[in-house]
Each structure stands twice: as C-alpha cells, then as structure tokens.
Amino acid sequence: MAKVPLSKLIKFYVRFTPSYSAIGYNLRSLLWRNRPNRFSGQTWLITGGSEGIGASAARQAAEAGARVICVARDARKLEAFAQSVNSSIPITWLTADFSKTRDVHRLIEDIRATGHSLDVLVNNVGIQKHQLMLTDEEMETSFVTNILSHHILVKNLLESRILSDSATVIEVASGGMYNHKMVLTDLNIAEPARYIGPRAYGLAKRAQCMTMSFWRERSVHSQQRFYAMHPGWVDTASVNRSMPRFVAILKSVLRDHDKGADTIVYLARERPDQKRSEAIWFDRKERSTHIYAHTPNPEVSASDVVNYLDTLAATQRA
C-alpha cells in the first residue's frame, strides 16, 4: 500500500483534530443542557457491548434503569463486564461473531427466546482490516462484520416485531466514510489486488448511514427512529489495534469511551426529529453524510444498497 504524503497527513490532522478529538467535544458540551437518563422499563440490545463505546453505552443505560443485553464474541469479556456494572437489573449477554451471518441468525433466535421486546438497538460492533481476509462463507470479513450482519439483524428484528413499535435503532458509523463515494461492487471486494482496508471500512460505514435512511423512510408513519452516529476519535482497543500510528500521534486528545458513547445515549433519550433523509449525528447534532464534493453518488440509492445486502444475505441462507 502506498504511503500517504506527509503534506496530506498534516492537512488532515489540522482540519479534523479540533473537531473530532476531545477538544471539540469539551467545547461543544459547554452549551448542552443535560437531562438525567431515565430508561426504566426499556430493553436495550448492544452489539460490540463488552468493551469500549458499546460497554459505556450499556453501563449508562443499565444504571438508568434499562434491561441491557450485550452481544460480543468473547463470553469471558462479556461476563466480566456484566459483573462490573452495578445496576438494579443485572446486564445479561449473548455471544455472536458478526463475521458469520449464520451466527447472526442464531443470535436472532436467542433474542427471540428471551421473550423481550427491544426498545433500543445499538449496532456498535465493527472492525477494520488492513489485509484481505475472507470468511468461511467466502465474503470479505469487514464487510460482513460492519454492515451485512448489521442489516440482517435490523431487518429480521423488524420483520419479527421483536423491535417495538417505538424502538430506536442506532448505527455507530464513522468519519472513515467521508472520503468514499458509494460503489456497490466495492462493498464486498474479495480480490487481494483491489482490496484497500480503509476503503472497505469507509464504504461499510457509509452503507450503515444509507440503510438507516432506508428504514427511516419505510417507517415514516410509525414511532420508530433510525439514526447513524459518529462517535468522534475515541481511544478504543479496536482503534489501537487497527490504527496504532494514529493513536500514537493523538493519544493525549482522543476521546474516552463515555465521550464516544454520548451521542448514542442522547439519541436514545431524546429521540430527536431528523430533517435530512440521510444524516449522521455527531456531538448531538444532525450533520451531512458528505463533506467532499466527490462523494455523493446519485446513481446509488439507499434502496440499491439494501437490495444488494438482501441478495447476499439470501445467498448465504440458500
């Protein structure tokens, strides 16, 4: 992979560090009027909920009275996290590997078996790979983990009415999408010569925003809410693994997990109206999903993305 020119890196950090780091969060939060979190009577499902941003959202929801179900791959991490939270309703957990669509379908059955209707779904699980890795289902790993499995989960929970009529669905997206125009044929690249890890990640994150737009339009007459959010630059274990140079440069100003989870909790608590058909929420404000002129692609709609995902999901179930 070619190295990024130094001038481009400097321009990138100068433009985005003041906003996406803890600096931007601390300045914006001075103007916020905070209400207490009250989630009693609600049931939350949080994927990627054993650590980082997901664990922070889970802790805040549980401490505010919600019944919280966390999902991740590692049962030991899930159990340790659940035991660390002091709440009136103990956190429960389910295991699933989101790089395997069959695991997601099993998870859906496990959720159904709990007998709980879900009031809040937070799709937080995600990875970034530098090298191409195919799953045993012959798909690109980050594509399956970051968007296809998310879509399968949301679609099936909606169709089975496990998501309540007033549910809130939140996709934890990323500013990694901003430099990438949606190209459907590039969502699931399985050719080493064409694979670029940050692009695969960015396209999946853009697809998350587009699927939320699709469900939002489909549910326009209901009380359900569908959001995509950007947590900012957060010092998570995942970011440390995938972007060590980035962390080394910005360690002193990266956001902590609670700052990264803040907009998740805000959206679940306030359920604000969204003016744009497609948007990403960042630091409690609705924002455009495009900051560069080259990324809008009118030839690919949210429905196109969903149809593409549905086709691949059906192939795996055949």
Side-chain angles (χ1 to χ4, degrees), residues 5 18-19 52 72 75 81 83 86 91 101 103 106 108 115 156 167 197 217 252 261-262 269 271 275 288 301:
S19 182
F81 169 66
Q83 292 177 350
N86 182 20
I91 286 180
T101 62
D103 246 33
R106 177 186 54 77
I108 292 164
N156 280 270
E217 293 299 316
S252 63
D262 179 82
R269 183 182 69 234
R271 306 180 81 241
K275 297 178 182 178
S288 173
S301 68

Side-chain angles (χ1 to χ4, degrees), residues 152-211:
I152 290 171
L153 182 62
V154 173
K155 179 183 176 70
N156 280 270
L157 293 180
L158 283 169
E159 291 179 347
S160 62
R161 303 295 296 274
I162 294 174
L163 281 170
S164 73
D165 291 341
S166 58
T168 302
V169 178
I170 301 168
E171 283 282 349
V172 180
S174 168
M177 72 175 183
Y178 283 131
N179 199 37
H180 303 286
K181 177 172 70 174
M182 177 51 66
V183 179
L184 283 180
T185 53
D186 288 354
L187 269 175
N188 180 34
I189 291 179
E191 305 163 36
R194 295 183 58 224
Y195 184 78
I196 302 173
R199 176 165 170 75
Y201 177 83
L203 286 176
K205 293 299 177 178
R206 184 165 293 287
Q208 288 178 351
C209 295
M210 296 178 78
T211 57

Side-chain angles (χ1 to χ4, degrees), residues 12 71-72 95 113 123 139 212 254 258 316:
F12 171 83
V71 179
T95 58
N123 257 329
M139 290 187 291
M212 288 300 95
L254 292 180
D258 287 349
Q316 294 304 313

Side-chain angles (χ1 to χ4, degrees), residues 38-51:
R38 293 190 177 95
F39 299 128
S40 295
Q42 295 186 10
T43 299
W44 288 43
L45 181 78
I46 301 179
T47 70
S50 64
E51 63 182 12

Side-chain angles (χ1 to χ4, degrees), residues 284-303:
R284 304 190 183 189
K285 185 176 179 179
E286 175 189 340
R287 302 172 194 273
S288 173
T289 55
H290 299 280
I291 61 174
Y292 297 118
H294 72 274
T295 61
N297 186 357
E299 296 180 0
V300 181
S301 68
S303 293

Side-chain angles (χ1 to χ4, degrees), residues 42-117:
Q42 295 186 10
T43 299
W44 288 43
L45 181 78
I46 301 179
T47 70
S50 64
E51 63 182 12
I53 295 169
S56 174
R59 185 185 301 275
Q60 292 180 63
E63 290 177 348
R67 181 189 306 277
V68 177
I69 305 169
C70 286
V71 179
R73 292 180 299 178
D74 192 324
R76 288 177 297 179
K77 283 185 179 180
L78 284 164
E79 184 173 16
F81 169 66
Q83 292 177 350
S84 76
V85 178
N86 182 20
S87 57
S88 58
I89 304 174
I91 286 180
T92 58
W93 49 269
L94 298 168
T95 58
D97 183 344
F98 267 57
S99 71
K100 302 174 181 178
T101 62
R102 62 179 179 275
D103 246 33
V104 178
H105 286 287
R106 177 186 54 77
L107 171 65
I108 292 164
E109 294 308 312
D110 290 344
I111 296 167
R112 191 193 311 275
T114 70
H116 296 304
S117 174

Side-chain angles (χ1 to χ4, degrees), residues 7-27:
S7 60
K8 188 173 182 178
L9 279 175
I10 293 172
K11 187 176 181 180
F12 171 83
Y13 286 120
V14 168
R15 175 172 181 179
F16 294 113
T17 299
S19 182
Y20 293 162
S21 69
I23 298 168
Y25 179 92
N26 291 336
L27 289 173

